[in-house]
């Protein structure tokens, strides 16, 4: 994205890692226009603060990429009483989108929501998104990603109903792992045993730099603007491969998940629907 000439804002919870990432981007793209802003995705207050800064800018693309993959072994309470993984992976982004609703109305923005192949592997319970019972670390991750996916697909349809010029595109990165990813000092430095283990999965896995291709495609391909509502992108062979149109998990396309997820979106925005029809 920096190479395309965009002014890229890295909204990150760890300033040191953000600085390391920007240094590496600058090394590869000397003309890169980069900026760091603090954002802790698990905090609604942090999302509000970031929204207050970005609201006055001419935004083109908003990518909800930040999140938690190393989920707690036991349930930890996060924002609004939801478990911490849902709080981090969805609620913070939901609040930020709400804070920037006027930007989506006034200009042709793109919201990119990062889903996951895990939504196909583990059943999502629309009636237990807070995981008040039956908590499991992997279930927490899969359900949080199902929420992001369902919200993004629902948002795309809502934008059409409102006749707003923006789009919301859901993507997933396949099975992308650190040991197959290019090493970046301070960002991706997997230990030797992890590199060996991940190399053994190369036939069905890919590096995170390859998994990000669908995300960049959704952000920069001009043809996306004319794509059907509910467009979903991912690796061609599900877990790896070039970017292509994909089919999201059935439940993430259904009202029985979209409706409760949209209610969480409203809850995260203090009971208000920023995209009210």
């Amino acid at each position: 994205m920096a190479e395309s000439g965009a002014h890229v804002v890295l909204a990150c919870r760890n300033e040191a890692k953000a600085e390391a990432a920007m240094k590496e981007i600058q090394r590869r793209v000397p003309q890169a226009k980069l900026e760091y802003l603090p954002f802790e995705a698990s905090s609604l207050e942090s999302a509000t603060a970031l929204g207050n800064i970005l609201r006055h800018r001419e935004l083109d693309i908003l990518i909800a990429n930040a999140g938690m993959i190393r989920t707690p072994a036991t349930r930890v309470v996060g924002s609004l009483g939801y478990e911490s993984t849902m709080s981090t992976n969805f609620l913070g982004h939901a609040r930020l989108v709400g804070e920037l609703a006027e930007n989506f109305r006034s200009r042709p923005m793109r919201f990119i929501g990062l889903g996951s192949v895990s939504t196909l592997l583990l059943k999502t319970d629309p009636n237990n998104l807070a995981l008040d019972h039956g908590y499991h670390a992997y279930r927490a991750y899969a359900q949080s990603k199902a929420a992001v996916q369902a919200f993004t697909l629902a948002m795309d349809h809502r934008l059409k109903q409102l006749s707003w010029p923006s789009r919301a595109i859901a993507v997933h990165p396949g099975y992308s792992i650190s040991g197959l990813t290019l090493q970046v000092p301070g960002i991706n430095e997997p230990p030797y045993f992890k590199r060996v283990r991940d190399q053994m999965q190369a036939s069905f896995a890919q590096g995170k730099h390859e998994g990000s291709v669908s995300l960049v495609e959704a952000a920069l391909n001009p043809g996306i603007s004319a794509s059907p509502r509910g467009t979903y992108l991912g690796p061609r062979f599900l877990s790896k491969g070039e970017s292509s149109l994909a089919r999201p998990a059935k439940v993430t396309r259904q009202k029985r998940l979209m409706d409760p997820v949209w209610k969480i979106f409203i809850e995260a925005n203090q009971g208000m629907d920023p995209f009210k029809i």
Side-chain angles (χ1 to χ4, degrees), residues 58-81:
E58 294 186 351
L59 300 176
D60 296 301
I61 303 159
L62 179 65
I63 300 174
N65 179 68
M68 178 193 299
I69 191 169
R70 295 180 181 87
T71 50
T74 57
R75 189 181 189 277
V76 176
V77 179
S79 299
L80 304 179

Side-chain angles (χ1 to χ4, degrees), residues 29 110 145 245:
V29 187
R110 286 188 192 179
K145 284 300 184 178
L245 288 173

